[in-house]
Amino acid sequence: MRMAVEGMGIVSAVGNGLQDLAQAARHMLREESQTIEFSKIDTSNLVRHASSRALRRVDHFTRMALLAAYSALEDAGLDAAELEHTGIVLATGYGPVKLTFDFLDSIIDFGPEMASPQAFAHSVHNIPAATVALMMTLRGPCFSICQLDTAVAAATLTAQTWLAEKRVTRVLLGAVDEHTALLEINAQRIAENLSAEISGGRRGLAPGEGAVFFCLHADPEHARHGFIENASLSKTYPDAPIFFSGSASPAQRNTLPPMHDFSPLYGNIPIGMAFDATVALLTVQGRLGPVMDECPAVHCLSRNRFGMTGSILVTSREYA
């Protein structure tokens, strides 16, 4: 089933907007030197959409999700009153990992009887999607998928199923992961102890963070940016052109079709496929020219350490 992309919202290290991502992708394709600083992403602009009082207990992970979701609605020209029969699917690799470890630290420091109830409540993986639904007063189904590297493909497949079953008429499909000091330390340990051949091609790539949301509709007339279609999980690779993220060593990559890897823009992050899909939608609209020719279809792949490949096909309005 073809899902029409009405709007896109992005929160990233290269900027919180489609133009920022397009410019960074063009620089990378020109092989211009570009060092991305993966510092904590600024979400202060979220006060344009929600009051400071409503946001006072919202953690950084959920703030990134909220800002990307509101940006997608704004890009689609929609407001909350037009979101009847809308569902939310949120993909993540690690979930709200800072609050998860804050909760574990409170158990270690104070014992299970005095563990932080607030950290526990916000560490539950479906809370960020539920918070987006509450802030936007959505009443449709709300679902979170947490798995490494193939979460975005699985979430896209879920959104596709909901629209095909006519359970909803619109889906907010999101992906978010955050950077923490603990992830940084573990990434350094992996880089020190694993060779490039067995590190999945991620040796030395710093962990990143960010969020992406797509506003998807079942009606093709709503395709402002193109379509997302043919989500699948398999162990095969389609024909080029391909945008690739996930685990594949340099030796393994040499056995695959020619591809573009934009991971230096967003870092070592399980939801990299969502950023790839955004760049792919810009590509099929011709917005990465002149460094990349406009093409009607782009495959986005993400491969996990077990060889399973998540795949989605991004197409232009003219692609048949």
Side-chain angles (χ1 to χ4, degrees), residues 3-239:
M3 297 185 290
V5 182
E6 292 182 286
M8 299 188 287
I10 181 168
V11 175
S12 75
V14 297
N16 295 344
L18 297 175
Q19 291 299 331
D20 295 322
L21 181 64
Q23 183 176 1
R26 282 193 291 267
H27 285 173
M28 186 177 161
L29 290 168
R30 290 192 189 104
E31 299 183 353
E32 295 178 355
S33 176
Q34 187 174 24
T35 302
I36 305 298
E37 296 290 339
F38 292 110
S39 56
K40 189 174 182 179
I41 288 176
D42 180 16
T43 58
S44 58
N45 204 30
L46 189 55
V47 296
R48 289 182 54 236
H49 307 284
S51 68
S52 299
R53 178 183 176 86
L55 297 170
R56 70 188 188 283
R57 291 182 180 172
V58 177
D59 65 289
H60 181 62
F61 181 98
T62 307
R63 282 174 178 262
M64 289 193 293
L66 276 168
L67 184 55
Y70 277 118
S71 298
L73 290 185
E74 191 172 56
D75 182 52
L78 299 170
D79 58 38
E82 300 175 85
L83 297 180
E84 193 175 3
H85 305 301
T86 297
I88 295 179
V89 188
L90 186 67
T92 178
Y94 302 122
V97 66
K98 182 180 183 306
L99 285 174
T100 298
F101 285 108
D102 283 351
F103 175 63
L104 294 176
D105 286 344
S106 71
I107 293 178
I108 295 170
D109 292 339
F110 308 112
E113 296 83 2
M114 298 297 290
S116 169
Q118 182 173 343
F120 169 74
H122 289 277
S123 68
V124 177
H125 282 23
N126 206 31
I127 289 297
T131 303
V132 174
L134 283 170
M135 300 280 277
M136 295 184 174
T137 64
L138 302 183
R139 298 179 183 274
C142 179
F143 195 66
S144 295
I145 295 176
C146 182
Q147 62 188 57
L148 292 178
D149 298 317
T150 50
V152 175
T156 305
L157 194 56
T158 301
Q160 202 170 34
T161 303
W162 286 0
L163 291 172
E165 292 175 342
K166 299 184 179 179
R167 294 181 64 183
V168 295
T169 57
R170 182 180 283 115
V171 175
L172 284 176
L173 171 64
V176 58
D177 264 313
E178 67 179 334
H179 172 276
T180 69
L182 186 60
L183 287 177
E184 183 79 40
I185 292 170
N186 284 332
Q188 290 175 357
R189 287 175 176 169
I190 291 172
E192 291 168 359
N193 295 307
L194 292 181
S195 66
E197 286 71 24
I198 59 175
S199 68
R202 292 180 167 182
R203 189 171 184 268
L205 184 60
E209 68 173 11
V212 178
F213 259 80
F214 303 104
C215 189
L216 305 175
H217 200 285
D219 186 350
E221 294 299 319
H222 290 250
R224 291 183 60 247
H225 294 290
F227 295 90
I228 294 178
E229 52 186 303
N230 291 351
S232 67
L233 296 170
S234 70
K235 291 191 175 182
T236 60
Y237 295 97
D239 296 331

